[in-house]
Amino acid sequence: MTAEKFEKDVAYILQCEDSWVGHAVVARDDSDGAYHLGTVKERVGNGRQYVVQWADESLQVQSSSCIFGAFTKRHALALGDRVLAVADPVALVYLPGWITGTNGQKLVVKFCNGTTSAHINPRQCFWLSQEYFDIAVNFWKTKQTAS
């Protein structure tokens, strides 16, 4: 790779990382292990972490792997897939779950907290790998037993 190409690639990566700033996201709140709506306020250090502002205006530094939003790669969803979806539509709390069926244009999702919803909008879901799902559920469970 030429030095010129390397510099262009690095500049592009930095531009992509900066593009999260100012955008609404769904991010993990490390205090409860659930995912909530927030806004990315700034990039921290090398771009793998961001300052997220929650609805109550508190701030938390979060890893990019725990942030989902407009720049998250989309996957076609299928029965059995692991997803991050709205488990509590009133509080807008997202939890990991898995797709157990469909209900017209909506998905049926069973969440890690034992609840099920038959009214999940696929556009408001984020596909999770099995590995990420397991990590997210385990983190959430540790926070539930700690409280």
Side-chain angles (χ1 to χ4, degrees):
M1 176 183 290
T2 67
E4 183 180 336
K5 174 151 176 45
F6 176 79
E7 287 184 24
K8 280 186 178 180
D9 289 351
V10 169
Y12 176 74
I13 291 167
L14 291 173
Q15 178 186 356
C16 290
E17 290 174 349
D18 285 340
S19 64
W20 280 102
V21 176
H23 282 270
V25 295
V26 176
R28 186 178 76 192
D29 183 342
D30 288 345
S31 65
D32 67 3
Y35 293 72
H36 302 272
L37 295 178
T39 302
V40 173
K41 299 310 279 182
E42 64 183 284
R43 187 166 65 97
V44 177
N46 67 5
R48 303 228 185 267
Q49 293 189 316
Y50 295 87
V51 175
V52 175
Q53 183 176 34
W54 304 116
D56 67 2
E57 297 191 11
S58 64
L59 302 173
Q60 184 179 101
V61 174
Q62 188 51 268
S63 168
S64 60
S65 65
C66 298
I67 299 174
F68 299 84
F71 303 111
T72 301
K73 184 178 177 183
R74 294 306 219 167
H75 291 259
L77 300 174
L79 190 66
D81 279 353
R82 282 14 187 192
V83 293
L84 185 65
V86 180
D88 182 342
V90 175
L92 292 175
V93 173
Y94 286 67
L95 287 174
W98 59 96
I99 300 170
T100 60
T102 58
N103 178 20
Q105 297 296 312
K106 303 292 184 177
L107 300 174
V108 180
V109 175
K110 179 152 178 99
F111 292 99
C112 63
N113 66 356
T115 64
T116 299
S117 174
H119 306 289
I120 301 297
N121 182 339
R123 292 175 163 230
Q124 294 178 335
C125 287
F126 299 97
W127 179 88
L128 303 176
S129 69
Q130 182 68 53
E131 179 183 18
Y132 188 94
F133 173 84
D134 292 341
I135 290 167
V137 170
N138 288 334
F139 187 85
W140 178 81
K141 284 181 178 178
T142 63
K143 294 300 178 178
Q144 303 318 297
T145 57
S147 40

